[in-house]
Amino acid sequence: MHADFPKILNKSIFDGFNYNYIFESKGDYFGLLVEKRGFSVIPVVNNLIFNNESDFSADLTINDKLPKLREKLSKIEEYESFLSHKRRKSIYDPYACFQPFNEATKSLYPMLEKMRTSIKPKSTILNLWDRSGWLTSVLLGLFPECHIVTTWEGNKDVLGYLGYSYWFGNNPRVNILFTDLEKPLPIKTAAIDMVVGFDVLHRYDQHTLLNELVRVTATAAPLVFPHVHLSNSEPEPYFDRGCRQLHGRTYANGLDRYSQQGEYESYVLSEPHLFKLNQNIAENTLKLETNPNTSDYNAMVALLPKSWKSKALTPLHIDFKAAPFGHHILLNHLLRFDFGNQLVFLEKEHLAGMVGYMMERHPTYLQYIEKVDKYDLTALEVKLLYLSEQGWNVGELCDELDLKQVYDAMNRLLSFGIIEVLPLQDSGFRLQKYLSSQTFIDERREQTLEALWKKKVARFSSSVYIESLQDQTEITYTDADEVVKLISTTLEKRGISNKASVMVVGSLHPEGVLLFWACMKMGVVFVPLSGKHPAAVLSQMIKETDPVLIFSTVEAIQTCQLSGESNIIAFDDEEGASTNQYFSDWLEDDSDILSENTQISADDLAVILYTSGSTGQPKGVKLTQGNLYRSGMTVADHFEWTGSDRYFGLGGLDTMSGLRNTAISPVYYGSTLVIPDSSKGSSFLQLASQVVSNQATIIAANPAFLGLCVQFRHKLSIRLSKLRLVMCTGNSLSLGLRSTFKEVFGLNIYNYYGHTETSGICTAESIKNSPNSSVSTIGQPIEAIIQIVDNNKMIVKSGETGQIRVYSQNLMMGYHECEERPIIDGWYYTGDVGRCLVDGCIELVGRIRDIIKRPNEEIVYVNHVAALAQGQDNVEEAVSHVTTIGGKDKFTLFITIDDMASQSTIIPALKSLIKDQLGSSWVPDQLIILAEMPYNDHGKIEKQKLINVLQERN
């Protein structure tokens, strides 16, 4: 027998076999279990045993199967990609979704509590027919010193071979045995100390199965079979339940012969009674007595030690205070959660009618859960539920929130069936989250850009990551990784270590993108700037962040007057000259390998992004590796990016959307980043022509750019025929622009919203539906809680306006070198005014500072006036502005029009329209026509230029 046999399999269970033909590759073990008599040969890969693939003897057929199994189980990256794509076309398995909460599973809990007090450490538990892996996860947590052998039929259903290997293949306390339960088990006689056969006894020949189970179990080891279909009564309303339905007396009679010849007592126990006991609905104890004549149609059938007779069963006790970091909270996804209004609903139509389907088949559970409908969540409960869904365990929740309140809230939510709390490993939690919500998440400690880059480079090695139009080069993911490693080595050799900062100034450049990834790999803080800031502001940013190196394009070095700086490195542009060192000369081009000593955490500071400063001095927003990882994933997943997509980088790395959309989001699914040729200029027509000629499939633009697409559509030689996705962020997107853009180009514009302080995205419209044609929205919350609150921080009713506040694990660390604190009690107060619509979408009304109170106390939302004006004929754009003059607020509406000849008539017409539709208080104090709107490079209005116009006029 091979020396590593005990590391792979539980020797005490399978020592009736020799382990032959073993080999090891990259830490994985492969081989054959050969029965000593030679009648059975079973392929084995790590801790997975393929008894269903065994043949009569060790011939070529078996030897051929092992390499095929190895290949099947090696496709980990493909499997993760499959899991990530699954929610794009969610197909819920209702029973897998429902399993942690229904009466079938909960009926087992009192028995598990009894077993925990009687089973010894290092015992072996046989878990039969675990199609989703859920019970395996539970048993691993409840019996932390025991070995679990889980059986399943084969490569089918919820997980299959690769799924079991992915979720449980590296766990030394688990063996997955693929086998036919109507055939002998390849397990030593009397090797099993406990058997759990959920939903299994009515599926197979009872005598064959029980005979084999009694053989493999130790003397008086408990055998429990939860959720057995009885014919004692028919459920109401009646439906065909399937499988073999026998009366409880038939089961009792069949089990008697086992109890007569051993140390067993046989039991038929009512499933509803056990469920109610565990839910503390009835008494706290239940006497262990058989009841084969129960009027219920679901039961637990069991062979239990004689010593258990007439003992009391008690509810399962989960002591999450003893080891909080080992416990996870699961949300009941059969319920609909409205975090914005802090409500929970039980709706039969939820999950495409799946809830109604399950409730019809589980009337006992329905009777229990009905009380939760319209449950009012507290503010702390909302935070607790949200963070739990993101993978935070109980200990982490206690550290983040108030410890006592967390425990009180958990007990309250448990009593209503809203949550379940169990000792689950991270993988067990993630598996059930995937099954119940179709959402796949990485472990929180793996949510770093360093880990993301390593994984995706291996997955998309030959795909093109960057296509630079300036020098017509294509860089594959493998090529990019080689350069990233070279940059990382150079940084390390220059003594630039973890926590130091590196600055990039200028437009989007391939070397800047690769430098970003090298910084993320090294834990170096990345500070990107556009180079368009005034010299004094740029100087202040450099002083605040104190970069050890500044990388820049040749153009930005000249325009920002940086050439005199000693720590400037110029990117390798083809044109232009620089007195500074070039990037290629700076690189240490040798064979030295980067040390892997740097430990990167999801909570490490990754970037400092400066806000545009349109309303004052720019502030440096500090974002972590985890912030960027999750923001990039959210965009790629929500907007369904693919490996065939070509994202055209309209913006630079200096904004959240620019950095994420260009550098990070493409990596998740192997998309290509197309970098425009800056030598051809940065005007709209020059950029738009490159979008068309280079067959971009995705762009993210502000309304100003999209408006110009419409305005100059006749100058675009080819329509935007290759584009499949147009994302929009920045300013409020008008219905008029949406409609016209769709009419001209046949494309919807999908809006999303988020400040840099929220990692750039917290609401978005779904690409599965056409945008609302009557109201321009910023979509529904994604990966965040969005609430609309009044001045007292109380949630307003749907349809009412208030300030938008955000709760998310993706909020910034804070501002760099700035004392301003917009995050209060965990909520980020955006300063934006919005309202929640009936369908859950958010309408962005304006900024708080863009609200004025008229002398008659009427509140006027000036952006609402601008939106009304922009929807009118002849008005191209409308922007509102509020100025305080002499202690009084004055409201000015700036507009641009398509026919300057009509300016004498359009102003009185607009004033009349506003008065008729909104009221006289909403009419602007001034209405000014401009030749064009003053936008900055980020697509935002330069309000100082509007102020200058007002000062000139007044």
Side-chain angles (χ1 to χ4, degrees), residues 109 112-113 116 134-145 168 171 173 316-330 393-394 410 414 420-430:
Y109 284 7
L112 291 179
E113 180 66 19
R116 287 204 299 172
W134 165 245
L135 200 53
T136 305
S137 299
V138 173
L139 293 173
L140 281 168
L142 292 178
F143 300 89
E145 296 181 344
F168 301 107
N171 195 315
R173 292 202 295 120
L316 180 64
H317 175 66
I318 304 297
D319 187 7
F320 43 75
K321 294 183 180 180
F325 289 94
H327 288 71
H328 274 284
I329 297 175
L330 294 170
N393 61 42
V394 173
M410 286 169 59
L414 274 167
E420 185 62 39
V421 184
L422 286 168
L424 294 175
Q425 297 177 347
D426 286 344
S427 60
F429 165 81
R430 292 166 54 232

Side-chain angles (χ1 to χ4, degrees), residues 35-99:
E35 189 184 14
K36 291 179 178 178
R37 295 178 299 169
F39 292 139
S40 181
V41 180
I42 305 171
V44 177
V45 180
N46 289 334
N47 58 348
L48 276 65
I49 308 157
F50 298 89
N51 190 45
N52 59 326
E53 299 280 354
S54 64
D55 285 330
F56 188 74
S57 61
D59 57 17
L60 184 60
T61 304
I62 283 290
N63 294 342
D64 283 345
K65 283 184 178 179
L66 193 55
K68 292 180 180 178
L69 288 171
R70 289 181 59 204
E71 181 183 3
K72 188 182 296 290
L73 299 182
S74 68
K75 299 179 179 179
I76 299 301
E77 289 293 335
E78 292 182 27
Y79 183 69
E80 287 187 340
S81 180
F82 162 77
L83 296 179
S84 298
H85 279 84
K86 190 77 182 304
R87 68 173 169 181
R88 299 183 181 183
K89 293 183 179 179
S90 298
I91 302 175
Y92 293 95
D93 182 305
Y95 289 95
C97 174
F98 192 29
Q99 197 163 358

Side-chain angles (χ1 to χ4, degrees), residues 534-555:
V537 174
L538 180 60
S539 176
Q540 180 62 31
M541 292 173 176
I542 294 174
K543 181 180 179 181
E544 285 179 358
T545 56
D546 190 25
V548 292
L549 284 176
I550 300 176
F551 295 82
S552 181
T553 61
V554 171
E555 178 187 13

Side-chain angles (χ1 to χ4, degrees), residues 639 657 660-661 700 727-729 750-754 760-761 763-764 778:
F639 291 107
S657 288
R660 177 197 57 230
N661 295 350
M727 303 158 55
C728 180
T729 187
Y750 291 96
N751 211 0
Y752 70 94
Y753 164 86
I761 184 167
T763 75
I778 54 174

Side-chain angles (χ1 to χ4, degrees), residues 233-285:
S233 65
E234 294 178 350
E236 295 292 342
Y238 177 77
F239 57 89
D240 184 4
R241 309 188 67 233
C243 298
R244 185 178 300 150
Q245 291 178 238
L246 302 176
H247 198 280
R249 291 191 301 271
T250 304
Y251 278 108
N253 293 335
L255 293 175
D256 278 347
R257 68 189 184 95
Y258 296 101
S259 56
Q260 290 170 4
Q261 58 182 280
E263 297 296 322
Y264 291 114
E265 289 285 344
S266 62
Y267 294 88
V268 178
L269 305 171
S270 163
E271 183 178 280
H273 286 177
L274 292 167
F275 170 71
K276 291 176 182 178
L277 167 66
N278 198 67
Q279 298 305 117
N280 290 314
I281 296 173
E283 62 275 7
N284 289 324
T285 61

Side-chain angles (χ1 to χ4, degrees), residues 449 453 457 463-468 471 473-491 502 504 507-522 524 526 551 571-572 583 586-587 653 659 662-664 667 673 675:
L449 294 180
W453 180 254
V457 165
S463 299
V464 175
Y465 174 42
I466 297 175
E467 181 176 325
S468 175
D471 56 8
T473 58
E474 290 185 348
I475 305 173
T476 67
Y477 279 85
T478 295
D479 294 338
D481 188 48
E482 291 300 318
V483 179
V484 167
K485 289 177 179 177
L486 195 57
I487 298 171
S488 301
T489 302
T490 305
L491 289 172
V502 164
V504 171
S507 58
L508 184 62
H509 195 284
E511 290 164 0
V513 175
L514 300 178
L515 176 65
F516 163 77
W517 283 109
C519 289
M520 297 305 99
K521 186 180 181 72
M522 294 288 294
V524 173
F526 188 75
F551 295 82
F571 289 139
D572 292 329
F583 187 78
W586 170 79
L587 287 176
L653 299 176
L659 176 64
T662 56
I664 306 172
V667 170
L673 164 63
I675 297 181

Side-chain angles (χ1 to χ4, degrees), residues 607-612 619-623 627-628 631 654-657 660 753-761 810-813 815 828 940:
V607 302
I608 299 175
L609 285 173
Y610 277 87
T611 57
S612 63
K619 296 185 289 289
V621 178
K622 298 192 295 184
L623 298 173
N627 290 150
L628 297 176
S631 183
D654 53 297
T655 66
M656 185 63 231
S657 288
R660 177 197 57 230
Y753 164 86
H755 292 192
T756 305
E757 290 84 344
T758 68
S759 300
I761 184 167
N810 248 12
L811 298 184
M812 65 175 180
M813 297 176 71
Y815 292 123
Y828 169 67
K940 295 184 178 181

